[in-house]
Amino acid sequence: MVSRRNFLASAATMVGAGVVTRVGAASLPEAVIMETAATQAPLAPPNGRPYHPVVTLNGWSLPWRMNNSVKEFHLVAEPVVREFAPGMKANLWGYNGQSPGPTIEVVEGDQVRIFVTNKLPEEHSIHWHGQRLPNGMDGVTGLTQPGIPPGKTFVYEFTAKRPGTFMYHPHADEMVQMAMGLMGFWVTHPKNPDFMRVDRDFVFLLGNYDIQPGSYTPKVSTMLDFNLWTINTRVFPGVDSMNVRQGDRVRIRMGNLTMTNHPFHLHGHEFAVTGTDGGWIRPEARFPEVTMDIGVGQMRALEFIADEPGDWPFHCHKSHHTMNAMGHNIPTMIGVDQKGIAEKINRLVPDYMAMGERGGAMGSMEMPLPDNTLPMATGEGPFGNIEMGGMFTTVKVRKEQKPGDYSDPGWYKHPKGSVAYEWTGNVPAATRAPGASLSAAGVEYRARKPQGHQH
Ligand SMILES: [Cu+2]
């Protein structure tokens, strides 16, 4: 028999081991949902310890309920519709109405209880990626818990021990459930709100999907050949810009839940990688970068002072990852005269268009698209087509952007004389090395034939 005294003693031991308590809740907390893909204002903590909230790009943070000093959250795994960018929607699986699910923000030392309701047609479980927690709360179906059956609710309880940047994702039928969009961001803020304080703190997850033009559901068996590379399950021009005030200290935190690495590149500024999966990097161990590779399953935080005004790209440097849905088996046609072929094919296929003769720029392309897909690379900028898609966005640095204002200031107005311009003077012949002869008509080369082993 468990006396009250014994129960308290054992409860104390459990807290010491990182477990909060057995759930004493009489009711489920409300499952808050969000239906818009617009970036929501930061969630100022209404109770509990103070912290500086993050901003989830094209997303939001999940409100909680305080129950005897335990922060209670409610996630519902369910089918959702996500708009990747205006003109294209997909049938995915997500949390609380969206993919990715809402960001969960807690403070180091918080006791956390998360109710997970499974409204999927198969078993589910959530793994709290990167957290220190009791083994039985790690969310691995079959290993640390039984799968959550459809229609059931499970409870996860642990103390958020380590401050830093984390994620959550299923560890049940993983390949399918992640290919369908089940994932979310997690931030554990430091106990001291002034520790590594920044003015703007953006977060997002990288995802990949294979949704063939004209279809609405991702192919879940695709292993590598994805055609949509996403920032919070959005593709450019559907990805919001990160709007900051000139001089702000800006942090961007990312998690990579795709099947490949992404070298993210920031224009116009250097940044320091300040956080990894293991926690915060000591100031003396940081080094400057303009491109940071983020590997599969990794999380990274970078920081910079946004001191250069303008609209600065922030994007994956793999050029196929800044494009949208399109076949990949396209022959290179640069320099090939396709006029005759196009005419002949047009008799059979009226909309056929010769492509690629002068490169792949999509700016002037007007080939009809199938339903529910996006042009490969498009986004109207102040100077025309931006010719980007996928994992691309901008950091908009403005002197006039008020602290705490995240609204889009529009395109940058360049000071007079500060935009690249056409040269209209003489173009002298290029100086070449003596004896060098390079002309388009006759490129000289020497074949170096194998000479056998010379050592
Ligand atoms: Cu990439």
Side-chain angles (χ1 to χ4, degrees), residues 269-273 285-291 303:
H269 297 78
E270 317 81 51
F271 56 76
V273 180
R286 297 173 192 166
F287 48 91
E289 289 270 26
V290 294
T291 304
E303 286 177 35

Side-chain angles (χ1 to χ4, degrees), residues 206 229 256 258 260-264 293-294 315-322 391:
L206 305 176
W229 300 93
N256 180 3
T258 73
T260 188
N261 63 312
H262 301 283
F264 259 77
D293 198 22
I294 174 166
H315 63 94
C316 178
H317 217 290
K318 287 184 175 174
S319 48
H320 287 87
H321 295 182
T322 50
M391 289 174 168

Side-chain angles (χ1 to χ4, degrees), residues 36-54:
T36 162
T39 302
Q40 300 297 309
L43 175 72
N47 50 40
R49 292 198 196 95
Y51 64 80
H52 298 290
V54 299

